[in-house]
Amino acid sequence: MYLTRHSTPAGPRWAADGKLLPAGVTLSTLLALPQSQLTSLLTEWATGEEASGDLLAPLDDHQEVWGSGVTYLRSRDARKAESETAADVYQQVYDADRPEIFFKQIGWRTVGHGQPVRIRADTTWNVPEPELCLVINAAAQIVGYTVGNDMSSRDIEGENPLYLPQAKTYDGSAAVGPGIRLAAADDLTDLDISLEIERDGAAAFAGETSTGQMKRTFPDLAEYLMREMTFPYGALLMTGTGIVPPDEFSLQSGDIARITIDGLTLENTVA
Ligand code: DO4
Ligand code: MG
C-alpha cells in the first residue's frame, strides 16, 4: 500500500493507493496505530474518491525527521577524508555498537518531491545524500519507508564534528517523498538505491548502492532512536548514505538531485 499527501483547497489530504482518506486522517493518526491494524484500517477508510492536487511531503507537523550516519563503508571513508583533525571519530562510530543518530529536521520544515532543496550560503562543499528513510510508528515498529535526501555541507562537517547540526539542519536541508510505501523491516534488506545529479541537462554524477551494503540493521537503528525518547506521532529516520560523489564535486544552484529506491523517485532542484 502506498500513502501520499496532497494539497487541496481545504488543506492537506492523505490518500492510500490514490484514494482519498477521510479529512482529518493524517500520518499522526496512522502512526498511532499498531502495525497489525494499519493496512486493514486504511482499506476500510479509503474513500472511492481519486486523490488529485500537488504532492506534499509525506509527513505532518508532528513528525520529526532524524538521521543516522556512517552506516555504510563509503560514508565512513568520505567522512575520514573530509575531516583532517577528527578522522578517528568516524572510524570509531563505524565500529561501535551504538550508531550515530542525529536530529535532522522538523516536519513543517521538510520539503517533498518537486520542491527545492538548498545549499547554505556560508559553505563551499555540498552534496545530496540518498538514503532510505524509515517510517516508524509510536510503538517503534517500522511500518514503511520513503526516499530521503539528507543534504549536507561537507566543509562544515569536516571542519569540526561538533558543527554537525549546522552542516545538516537548515532551511531546505531535508527532502522526503514522493510517498510512503508500507513495508516490514524484512522487506528492506536488499533494495537498490541510486543517485543522479543533473546539471544543465547532462549527468554530472551518477552512483548506486544497495541497502544490503549497510553495516547496521534497520530495526537496530529504530530501536536506538526510540530507546529513551517517546514519539507519540511516530518519526522518520534516514538511515545513512552509501553513495558519495568524488571529493572534487560540489552541488550548484540549478542542479537536480534524483534519488531512486526500488522504483520510487524523489527529485529536487537546488534553489
Ligand atoms: O557523521 C556525519 C553524518 C554522516 C551521514 O549523514 C551519513 O553517513 O549519511
Ligand atoms: Mg546522511
Side-chain angles (χ1 to χ4, degrees):
M1 202 166 240
Y2 184 58
L3 303 177
T4 44
R5 183 169 166 254
H6 301 262
S7 169
T8 79
R13 277 289 284 276
W14 283 84
D17 288 340
K19 307 283 184 204
L20 284 178
L21 295 172
V25 172
T26 65
L27 192 60
S28 297
T29 321
L30 303 176
L31 295 185
L33 297 169
Q35 189 176 27
S36 56
Q37 290 177 21
L38 189 57
T39 312
S40 55
L41 278 171
L42 281 169
T43 308
E44 195 179 302
W45 284 343
T47 63
E49 207 182 333
E50 291 289 333
S52 60
D54 291 346
L55 277 180
L56 299 171
L59 75 177
D60 61 53
D61 291 354
H62 295 295
Q63 284 89 41
E64 294 160 4
V65 180
W66 286 72
S68 357
V70 200
T71 52
Y72 291 79
L73 200 59
R74 177 70 186 106
S75 178
R76 184 201 72 181
D77 292 344
R79 259 19 91 199
K80 288 172 80 170
E82 77 202 6
S83 177
E84 282 172 20
T85 51
D88 281 359
V89 166
Y90 297 105
Q91 180 69 50
Q92 283 164 18
V93 82
Y94 184 77
D95 292 336
D97 284 343
R98 184 186 292 276
E100 176 195 3
I101 292 187
F102 56 90
F103 176 74
K104 178 66 183 172
Q105 200 51 278
I106 188 73
W108 63 264
R109 216 188 273 114
T110 301
V111 304
H113 176 70
Q115 297 178 311
V117 289
R118 291 183 64 256
I119 51 181
R120 295 177 61 119
D122 58 355
T123 57
T124 54
W125 191 14
N126 291 275
V127 288
E129 292 190 352
E131 307 192 9
L132 183 137
C133 183
L134 297 172
V135 179
I136 308 169
N137 70 11
Q141 297 170 306
I142 294 169
V143 299
Y145 73 94
T146 185
V147 182
N149 181 350
D150 171 24
M151 290 284 289
S152 300
S153 302
R154 294 190 66 189
D155 51 338
I156 296 184
E157 177 180 88
E159 191 177 338
N160 188 319
L162 296 182
Y163 292 156
L164 189 79
Q166 295 176 73
K168 294 288 191 181
T169 304
Y170 56 88
D171 287 343
S173 71
V176 297
I180 294 171
R181 196 176 266 167
L182 296 188
D186 286 350
D187 303 331
L188 310 181
T189 51
D190 196 18
L191 300 185
D192 292 335
I193 302 181
S194 67
L195 167 66
E196 291 166 23
I197 303 172
E198 189 181 311
R199 179 171 298 164
D200 300 329
F205 172 79
E208 53 191 32
T209 189
S210 148
T211 55
Q213 299 297 312
M214 195 174 75
K215 186 185 180 232
R216 299 180 186 273
T217 68
F218 294 122
D220 190 43
L221 293 176
E223 193 279 321
Y224 266 103
L225 173 65
M226 298 201 165
R227 188 178 278 191
E228 287 290 338
M229 196 156 40
T230 44
F231 289 90
Y233 309 105
L236 275 66
L237 177 60
M238 296 198 192
T239 54
T241 187
I243 306 173
V244 184
D247 290 352
E248 55 279 10
F249 179 89
S250 182
L251 281 175
Q252 294 175 9
S253 180
D255 287 353
I256 299 169
R258 196 173 293 119
I259 301 169
T260 302
I261 302 183
D262 199 34
L264 202 59
T265 299
L266 170 69
E267 184 175 305
N268 301 92
T269 300
V270 179

